[in-house]
Structure formats: C-alpha cells, structure tokens
Amino acid sequence: MIKLKQKWKNQRLWVKLTFMVLITVALTVSVLYLSLTNRIYEATQTQEEEQLLSIAEIVAAQPLVIQTLSNGATNPEVQTYANQITETYQLDFVVVMTMDRIRLTHPDPEKINAPFQGGDEEDALSGQETTSIAQGTLGQSLRAFVPVFNAENVEIGVVAIGIKTTTLASIAKKTMQPFSVSFAVSLLFGAAAAIFTAFQLKNQMYNLEPIEIARLLEERNAMLENTKDAILVTDKDNRVVLSNLEAKKLFQRDELDGQAIVGLPIQSLLPVAQDLQLLAGKDKTTDRIYHQDGVDYLLSTAPITVAKKVIGQIILMRDATELYLLTDQLFNAATYTTTLQTQSHDFLNKLHVIYGLADLEEYEELNDYLGKILEPEQEFSHRMIFLVKNPVIAGFLIGERSKFTEQNYPFMIEVYPDVPPTTDHTAVQCWINIIRFLDQFILENRLADDLQIHFGFWNDRLETVYELQLEPAMKERITDELHTPVISQLLKRVDGQLEIESNDRRIKISLKTAYRKEGN
C-alpha cells in the first residue's frame, strides 16, 4: 500500500489528471449502463407479461379448449392446438388445466393428467387474470394465467402459458446489444476526453508540474522580498493584490500579516495613481517621477498580460536620488509630473479636503462633504433602477443626467407610473434617439435652468413630457427641429405622437410612443 502511494505521488500531473477524469467518466457511464439494463429488463418483462395475457385470452376463448375442459379429459386435438400456439408465439409451454389443477396439455406428454406445479395459480382459479414468476417442471418461468368460462359464465378451468426466465433474459440481452456498443464507445470517448482534458489543463499551467510551480512561487517571493525597490501589484480594478517588504515600509504598513496594504485601492496609497491606466494590449513600461515625504521616486508601471489579456499592472518605486546626481533629465520628468498633477487639480483638491477632514477627525463634516459629492448621484441612480424596470432606459437616463450635471444643470425626472420591462427593443431605441436629440438641443442652447421632466407608462405607451421656459424665437426653433424628417421617421416607426403646447413663455413638449409590456 505504501509503495502504491509513493508510486502515485511520483506520477506526472497529466497522468494523475487523466486517471481521475477517466475514473469519473467510467463510474458515471457504468452507473447509467446498469440503471439502463435494469430498466430495460423490467420493461421487457412488462411487455412479455402483457403479450402472454393476450395470447392466453385467445386460447381461453377457443371452443376446442372450452369443450375439452367441459369434458374434463384431454384429447389429441387440444394437445396439437397447444403445440401450435407454443410454436407460433415462441412460448415454452401452454398448459390447459381443470379446476382441480390437472393438466390436460403440456410440452412433455408424460406430465399430462398430472397436477400443475408452482402454487401461483390460485388467483386464476378464483376468476382473475394474473402473471407471476415461479418454479415449475420446466424450471423458473414467467407465467400468465387466464380463467376459462363456459356458456353459462361458470369457470371450468385455467389456461397457463409462459416462457422460462432464461428466455426472458435472452430477449432483454438482445435489446441491450445496441446499448452495450454505445457503452463501449462512450468509454473510448471518455478516455479520449480524459487525455485531452489533462493535456489542456497541463498546457494552461505552462506544462509545469506542481513542484515546479511551487518552486517558481518561492523564487518570485524571494526576489520580491529581497529587492531594494518598493513593488506593488494590482488587479484590473487597481486594487493591490501583492506588495513586498520595501513597499510596506515605505507606506508604514509593515505588519507581519501583510494585509494592511493588500486589498486597498492603489489611489489610497499613491494619489498620482489615477494617471496609471492599464495599457490594454500594450507590452509597454511607463516611467514617471513621484514625490513623497520629501523624496523623489522613479515610478515605473507595466501591464501584466495573461493569454493576451491585461489582468493588472506592476508598479515599481525606486529612490531617484542617485539618478538626479547622474543626469538632469529627471528634472524634465519631474516638470512633466507637475503638469499632470495640475491637470488633475480638481480631483486632488477634493482628495486633500477628504484627507484633511479625516486627519482633523471632523467626521461629521467629512460625512456631509461626501454626501454632497455622492448622495444626489446615488439617489437618482437608485430611483431610476427602482422605478424604471427596463435596464436600457434606466441606464440611458442615468447617463443623460451625467451630461447635465457636468454643465451644472439640474436633471430630475418624475416617474409615474413605473415603467415595466419590454422585449420591443426597436421602440426603446427610437425613444432613446428622440430624447437624446431633445436633450442635446437643450444643452447646446443652455435651456435647462427651468427644466421639468415627467415620464411614465400609460395604456401600453411611454409618455414623456418636457416643460421649460423659452423665448418666442427659441420656441419656433425647437418646434422646427422637432418636425424634421429624422424625428418624423422615428415617430412613425414607434407609432408615436409629438405635441407641442405654448403658453406665454412656457412650452410643453409631450411625446407618446408605443411600448409593449413584457408578456403581452
């Protein structure tokens, strides 16, 4: 046993994978094959029982059989008839017996006029048709019993016909032959699939054995921990997934478990990291200067690519003091970094405010400040997701609000009733095109100061109402823009109606478009 374990442990990975997959396939197919064999045997037995009862009913209705049982004695004619039925339907025996269980026919002439054996004929002697498996003079057999009645509807005997269980097994075996071939083919395909899967998995592991992978991991950890440069590795969401000892010391997060840095957004450690974008599909390293705690660092970033997909990036921070002494080129790089920081001035201001409030422990003011930044956007998004069940429309409205807020315009929508989902994507797209055109016109002409929007679903139609205040000249212009051929064609495709009402300086634009509720 110990030798087998050692031998298994020393096997290559692809052998182990092949063996495990093959065992799984073999066990699965074998269980299915055995289950199918059992079901087919049961189905064959049921079918044979029904067929035996049908044949027995035919025999029981024969006048010759009725006359013989009425006389209570056998004769050559009824024996000949029983032999013909046996041969015609490929039975093992046809027995006609009296109410006293005396055989009047039998495949073995010596057993005629002898008592019937088996003990399973009792129900038939009581007038019931039955089937059973019992031991008789010919061995174990599947039997069917049908009572025989005379003209006065009085039971005068029983017809018993059957086949041996060996014959039944032979029939089931013939039925199973195609499935046996399929079973063998399935095992062959399973073996091929096992080998293919093993090699595919091995290829995905770069043909490395587990011990080789472990060694590479240890080598990588050793290089990371013993280098003098601070190294951070992030995922595609710019969260730190790995850091070395120098990085922990640099950010004063040198706890033994190393979990203080792992999982944090890279921006929380490096404010300049907002400019470190993943270089999708580019095998390229970028370098820049980063200043922290009075020290300049050469910040190098490079994408991490697996299977031609960028899954993260590696960031190296090297003390740039020695490089300053060797060349003045880094001065230009530092200037370039300052320029980039100036471009991100707005973001840094907000970040500095957050850092300052947190450092002063003014948590209530910090909460209010964050609420002013985040709450309106989140509230609007949550309301749209809750009231508008169509994700395409909800996402579009959230995007439109971003366009308005970028120009410091309010964009609030009253949604009533709720908008249900739909499968009519054409209607949704046409509605989006019309609303996008209208929003763009309002933004370009700076008309959004007093904008009110009402949106809802009524009678299988989307109803959208824009109310805003306009000068007379602008009213005519927006009316002309909304009656262009492009808008007219979109309205025609969705059976839409566009109405414009004007009152003093107030204008009301009502748009109604077809919108089939999902399930209608």
Side-chain angles (χ1 to χ4, degrees), residues 81 130 259 387 446:
Y81 175 71
T130 62
Q259 296 301 316
L387 297 176
R446 302 182 179 277

Side-chain angles (χ1 to χ4, degrees), residues 32-194:
L32 290 175
Y33 179 77
L34 293 175
S35 176
L36 183 62
T37 300
N38 185 55
R39 292 295 298 274
I40 287 179
Y41 185 85
E42 292 176 355
T44 302
Q45 179 177 330
T46 301
Q47 183 179 359
E48 289 297 322
E49 288 176 353
E50 294 175 356
Q51 186 174 356
L52 290 176
L53 284 174
S54 299
I55 298 171
E57 289 173 355
I58 294 173
V59 175
Q62 278 297 115
L64 176 60
V65 174
I66 296 173
Q67 183 61 40
T68 302
L69 287 172
S70 297
N71 296 336
T74 187
N75 57 73
E77 289 81 3
V78 74
Q79 180 64 30
T80 301
Y81 175 71
N83 293 337
Q84 290 176 349
I85 293 297
T86 301
E87 183 178 355
T88 300
Y89 293 101
Q90 297 181 349
L91 305 174
D92 288 319
F93 64 86
V94 174
V95 175
V96 178
M97 74 179 80
T98 65
M99 296 298 291
D100 296 328
R101 300 178 179 81
I102 301 301
R103 302 189 190 97
L104 300 184
T105 63
H106 196 275
D108 186 357
E110 294 181 359
K111 293 182 173 57
I112 296 175
N113 294 322
F116 187 82
Q117 296 182 6
D120 52 343
E121 70 279 2
E122 293 297 332
D123 291 338
L125 293 172
S126 300
Q128 299 180 18
E129 295 184 357
T130 62
T131 59
S132 64
I133 295 178
Q135 187 76 23
T137 57
L138 298 179
Q140 193 179 54
S141 59
L142 173 64
R143 309 173 176 198
F145 298 92
V146 174
V148 180
F149 299 91
N150 59 16
E152 288 77 21
N153 202 28
V154 176
E155 186 176 2
I156 58 176
V158 175
V159 172
I161 66 175
I163 58 175
K164 292 184 287 187
T165 52
T166 54
T167 304
L168 180 64
S170 178
I171 296 173
K173 186 176 180 180
K174 290 181 180 179
T175 306
M176 277 299 299
Q177 283 182 351
F179 297 101
S180 300
V181 175
S182 300
F183 172 72
V185 173
S186 298
L187 287 180
L188 291 176
F189 274 108

Side-chain angles (χ1 to χ4, degrees), residues 377 380 396-413 434-453 466-468:
E377 187 69 30
F380 181 84
F396 169 74
L397 294 176
I398 294 172
E400 289 299 287
R401 184 180 187 276
S402 299
K403 295 180 182 178
F404 277 77
T405 54
E406 285 176 2
Q407 299 188 29
N408 296 321
Y409 287 122
F411 187 82
M412 297 303 295
I413 302 177
I434 297 173
I435 297 301
R436 181 184 287 119
F437 174 83
L438 183 58
D439 290 346
Q440 184 176 355
F441 181 87
I442 293 173
L443 288 175
E444 288 178 352
N445 294 279
R446 302 182 179 277
L447 306 175
D449 290 323
D450 191 28
L451 176 64
Q452 297 181 13
I453 305 176
Y466 276 63
E467 294 187 18
L468 62 163

